[in-house]
Amino acid sequence: MLRGVSAISLDTKGRVALPKRYREELDALCDGVFVCTIDHQLPCLLVYPLPEWERIEAKLSRLSSLNPAERRLQRLLLGHAFECEMDGQGRLLISPTLREYAGLEGKAMLVGQLNKFELWNSDRWQQQIDQDIQLQAESAEALSERLSNFSL
């Protein structure tokens, strides 16, 4: 289970070190093989352990290449998908194209999202969190049915 937020850094080669607390679990889950792609709605990257990505690929393969919206989603997610393998120090090499999309250099945030990580530019992450908190406070009355029944 991938959860929590970690401040990490990209080295000069574009590698990020996964926090030690995840490494053993991820090595067992996916032999250290991941797929990284863009988030098609936000300026961050999505980093999936390979078995989780394969589930996403199966869903994408069922979309119609004749429907423009479905084809667009396939193009964005599959077209940017980049396989990366965790090295002996727990690092993943992020491709230059993906780093550019997310504005990654120097400080970054790795955010666990149950079955994947989001990888954010540190400043953009803080802006997104500020915006999310503001929107959540403003729209508390307009909850979806699932959220209105959700209790913490």
Side-chain angles (χ1 to χ4, degrees):
M1 176 114 13
L2 308 176
R3 59 179 168 256
V5 64
S6 302
I8 60 172
S9 297
L10 275 79
D11 67 15
T12 57
K13 295 181 181 178
R15 296 175 297 195
V16 295
L18 297 178
K20 289 181 182 180
R21 65 183 175 160
Y22 298 117
R23 293 180 195 172
E24 189 174 312
E25 177 185 351
L26 290 169
D27 198 38
L29 175 67
C30 64
D31 290 326
V33 180
F34 298 83
V35 173
C36 188
T37 191
I38 65 170
D39 184 314
H40 67 100
Q41 297 177 317
L42 297 169
C44 69
L45 302 180
L46 304 175
V47 182
Y48 289 91
L50 183 59
E52 291 295 331
W53 174 253
E54 289 170 340
R55 289 184 205 24
I56 302 300
E57 270 185 338
K59 292 177 185 179
L60 289 168
S61 73
R62 291 190 290 273
L63 297 178
S64 171
S65 62
L66 299 177
N67 179 300
E70 293 179 17
R71 180 71 179 141
R72 196 169 39 248
L73 185 62
Q74 288 172 325
R75 185 180 311 113
L76 289 171
L77 295 179
L78 293 169
H80 287 93
F82 180 82
E83 193 171 298
C84 47
E85 194 167 338
M86 189 168 51
D87 69 11
Q89 283 88 27
R91 298 175 300 193
L92 298 177
L93 176 63
I94 308 300
S95 78
T97 304
L98 294 176
R99 290 194 314 260
E100 183 178 334
Y101 172 83
L104 294 174
E105 56 184 345
K107 296 182 180 184
M109 301 302 285
L110 188 71
V111 184
Q113 294 292 294
L114 300 176
N115 68 331
K116 66 182 174 290
F117 290 110
E118 291 178 347
L119 183 57
W120 286 84
N121 165 292
S122 189
D123 292 334
R124 286 183 181 172
W125 166 251
Q126 190 57 56
Q127 291 169 2
Q128 185 65 47
I129 287 301
D130 292 344
Q131 180 182 356
D132 288 346
I133 289 170
Q134 181 181 349
L135 289 172
Q136 188 67 21
E138 291 171 0
S139 64
E141 299 81 35
L143 296 176
S144 69
E145 184 178 333
R146 285 191 301 211
L147 285 178
S148 65
N149 293 323
F150 187 79
S151 175
L152 295 175

